[in-house]
Amino acid sequence: MPRKKPRNYKKEYKDYHGTKEQKDNRNKRNKARRKLGLKKGDPREVDHKKPLSKGGTNGKKNLRAISKAANRKKSNK
């Protein structure tokens, strides 16, 4: 079985995670978590009742905390 090439995390960050778009997305996620009072280590995720991609907002009325599995199942429906 061939050995997997080790991940180059610095390159991955520079090429993807460090882009302005990804930093902005991470900032929006963190703001939504703070609005709901979710702390580091809390396994729940923030769910947008009306997805941002469909015109939803980051307003508190559009946010709720749900499990990671439920959020992944919902997708952007």
Side-chain angles (χ1 to χ4, degrees):
M1 184 185 220
R3 288 185 76 158
K4 280 189 173 182
K5 193 168 130 181
R7 284 175 73 175
N8 184 341
Y9 290 100
K10 286 184 180 180
K11 181 178 181 342
E12 192 174 308
Y13 182 84
K14 183 180 145 253
D15 294 345
Y16 179 72
H17 299 291
T19 63
K20 179 169 178 13
E21 180 183 9
Q22 288 305 314
K23 286 181 179 179
D24 289 344
N25 288 341
R26 194 163 44 247
N27 187 31
K28 287 176 188 174
R29 279 194 308 270
N30 289 337
K31 279 184 182 178
R33 287 185 65 82
R34 284 193 298 271
K35 276 186 184 178
L36 286 182
L38 298 179
K39 304 286 184 200
K40 271 187 179 176
D42 192 325
R44 297 174 299 168
E45 292 188 349
V46 173
D47 175 50
H48 293 83
K49 296 173 188 173
K50 183 175 183 181
L52 296 174
S53 62
K54 296 190 176 173
T57 67
N58 259 338
K60 196 162 184 172
K61 288 184 178 182
N62 192 41
L63 302 175
R64 63 183 173 179
I66 62 173
S67 72
K68 184 176 183 176
N71 201 19
R72 296 295 188 268
K73 186 177 178 183
K74 180 183 175 233
S75 187
N76 71 341
K77 295 177 184 171

